[in-house]
Amino acid sequence: MPSTLLRIEGFRSSILNNERDLRLYLPPGYSENPDSRYPVLYAHDGQNLFDKGAHETDPLNPFAVARSWNLHLTADRLIAEGLMEEVIIVGIFNMGGERSGEYMHGLEGIEHERDRDQAVPRGELYERFLVEELKPFIDSVFRTKRDAENTGLIGSSRGGQITYHIGFSRPDIFGKLGILSPYFYYVNPLTLIEYRMYVSFPSRLPLSKIWIDLGGREGVLVMEKHVRQVVAELLDAGYEPDSQLAFYFEPDAAHTEADWEERAHLPLLHLFGKPSKLAGVSLKELGTSFFERSKLRLLPTAEYENGWRITPLNGSFKSADPDAASVDHSGGIVPKEGGTAVVEYEFEGKRAKASVTIS
């Protein structure tokens, strides 16, 4: 049996005092196995997930290509290939002009300038809407596994920001988080002054899986140093690198639906995938970045037999010729003299080597 897409129109929220549509993905086995219950993944920007060209452009990037993640096709493929367990996906439509406010929590104790949308934060109310209204409805109508271990939350851009805040605020409800291209800072495009848009959660919480990623061509909208800062905070809080907390950096990806569609299988595999063996690791040389002021460095990637990829947080670099150059923990090359430096990288018993020309 094929999977099923359902639409629920005008779902009313008394907490937010508005109505929105929902789009649901029911996996292939849902109709065949009436006694089975399924994990649920709640996804923000629901009109962007399943219908090609049927959504508004992301307000954070008015030039983004209007297209869908085609998340149902990705889930269908992963399930058919036996790589992922069957899940229900609930696409929660955004409210257009109200999106910025609903996807933003208040930042008590953090000095910041409101971003360019001048949005009034309503994230706490949106959080209550999910927990007190939407999830109880879904659990009452569909055959769901209701515990946090089997309940996920995913979103990109501002949807990544709200996923982070709700997920770490309510780990009793959402145990798995997919945070794509998260909007953690507002960077003034004229002055490049940076304003923090998130709060920290310094204590380890009972979250089973956390996925955080970004692209290297997102400009000042989402910058690698900001995302890595949050990842470092989570590591300091005690989350297990790579197995529990997974990070991925795709240097050629921009801030578009097309790029999120391209890598949507990665968070799905992390959150709901079946175990897979590490196939190998590789190194890619990255140049300097104007916005990031970054130096020459090597980017490691680990790829698994099921197609899952991560940027490992727990690997190690070593310079084969310390007299030519040293290498820091992030793969940054520190030259000592001109010539060629050979750098070795190891992650979980797999090794890669790269030669870097130093001018």
Side-chain angles (χ1 to χ4, degrees):
M1 291 289 293
S3 58
T4 303
L5 290 177
L6 303 177
R7 189 180 185 112
I8 298 174
E9 297 183 346
F11 184 81
R12 175 72 183 171
S13 170
S14 298
I15 293 171
L16 289 166
N17 191 31
N18 58 28
E19 296 181 355
R20 74 190 68 221
D21 290 353
L22 308 172
R23 197 75 189 274
L24 275 77
Y25 167 89
L26 300 181
Y30 189 88
S31 59
E32 294 181 333
N33 304 297
D35 296 326
S36 296
R37 292 186 173 273
Y38 298 86
V40 183
L41 178 62
Y42 292 86
H44 310 295
D45 292 315
Q47 57 265 63
N48 297 16
L49 302 179
F50 308 119
D51 296 319
K52 187 177 291 291
H55 65 273
E56 296 179 358
T57 302
D58 184 345
L60 276 178
N61 184 4
F63 303 106
V65 178
R67 59 181 288 176
S68 160
W69 289 29
N70 287 308
L71 197 58
H72 56 305
L73 301 181
T74 299
D76 281 349
R77 178 181 66 81
L78 295 177
I79 291 170
E81 294 177 1
L83 303 178
M84 184 182 87
E85 64 179 313
E86 293 193 291
V87 300
I88 296 170
I89 302 174
V90 180
I92 311 160
F93 279 39
N94 68 54
M95 295 299 294
E98 299 176 42
R99 175 181 184 267
S100 297
E102 287 190 349
Y103 286 6
M104 184 193 309
H105 277 62
L107 302 177
E108 184 177 353
I110 295 178
E111 293 292 333
H112 70 284
E113 177 184 273
R114 279 190 186 172
D115 64 17
R116 62 185 174 196
D117 293 321
Q118 294 292 296
V120 176
R122 303 186 76 206
E124 289 84 357
L125 295 178
Y126 183 77
E127 177 182 318
R128 287 184 55 204
F129 156 65
L130 294 186
V131 173
E132 300 174 25
E133 295 179 323
L134 180 57
K135 187 176 186 298
F137 169 77
I138 296 297
D139 287 340
S140 69
V141 174
F142 299 94
R143 301 193 310 275
T144 64
K145 294 181 178 179
R146 304 178 182 185
D147 60 305
E149 173 68 23
N150 287 288
T151 306
L153 193 62
I154 192 170
S156 63
S157 191
R158 286 189 186 274
Q161 178 192 38
I162 194 66
T163 295
Y164 167 86
H165 281 117
I166 293 178
F168 284 90
S169 297
R170 297 304 305 265
D172 58 317
I173 301 295
F174 303 101
K176 298 182 177 183
L177 307 179
I179 303 169
L180 286 71
S181 300
Y183 184 55
F184 285 143
Y185 275 77
Y186 165 60
V187 181
N188 187 302
L190 299 178
T191 65
L192 297 185
I193 296 175
E194 302 170 3
Y195 300 94
R196 180 168 167 167
M197 300 295 294
Y198 77 97
V199 296
S200 297
F201 296 87
S203 300
R204 179 173 171 170
L205 300 168
L207 293 160
S208 62
K209 295 287 184 179
I210 307 163
W211 171 271
I212 302 182
D213 73 21
L214 80 154
R217 297 175 58 197
E218 303 194 42
V220 298
L221 290 171
V222 178
M223 299 173 70
E224 183 186 2
K225 65 179 180 179
H226 296 148
V227 178
R228 283 189 179 267
Q229 173 182 314
V230 174
V231 170
E233 291 176 2
L234 297 178
L235 291 174
D236 288 342
Y239 296 97
E240 297 175 8
D242 306 316
S243 57
Q244 182 185 23
L245 170 62
F247 171 70
Y248 182 64
F249 177 62
E250 175 50 69
D252 297 324
H255 199 80
T256 68
E257 310 293 342
D259 288 289
W260 297 321
E261 176 190 3
E262 182 69 23
R263 65 178 188 268
H265 64 292
L266 301 178
L268 288 181
L269 285 171
H270 183 57
L271 303 183
F272 298 103
K274 299 177 181 180
S276 180
K277 292 182 179 181
L278 177 64
V281 295
S282 61
L283 290 173
K284 181 176 182 178
E285 184 176 331
L286 299 181
T288 58
S289 165
F290 171 78
F291 292 116
E292 300 275 5
R293 300 290 193 270
S294 63
K295 56 192 174 186
L296 180 67
R297 62 194 173 100
L298 294 170
L299 175 70
T301 299
E303 183 150 0
Y304 290 73
E305 292 180 355
N306 63 357
W308 190 51
R309 297 190 305 276
I310 58 172
T311 302
L313 300 170
N314 203 29
S316 61
F317 287 95
K318 182 177 70 174
S319 174
D321 185 3
D323 292 332
S326 62
V327 57
D328 62 27
H329 69 281
S330 66
I333 307 298
V334 182
K336 296 183 179 180
E337 60 183 38
T340 299
V342 177
V343 175
E344 299 172 348
Y345 179 77
E346 181 176 356
F347 174 66
E348 294 187 354
K350 301 291 186 180
R351 294 176 175 82
K353 184 181 294 186
S355 297
V356 180
T357 300
I358 301 173
S359 57

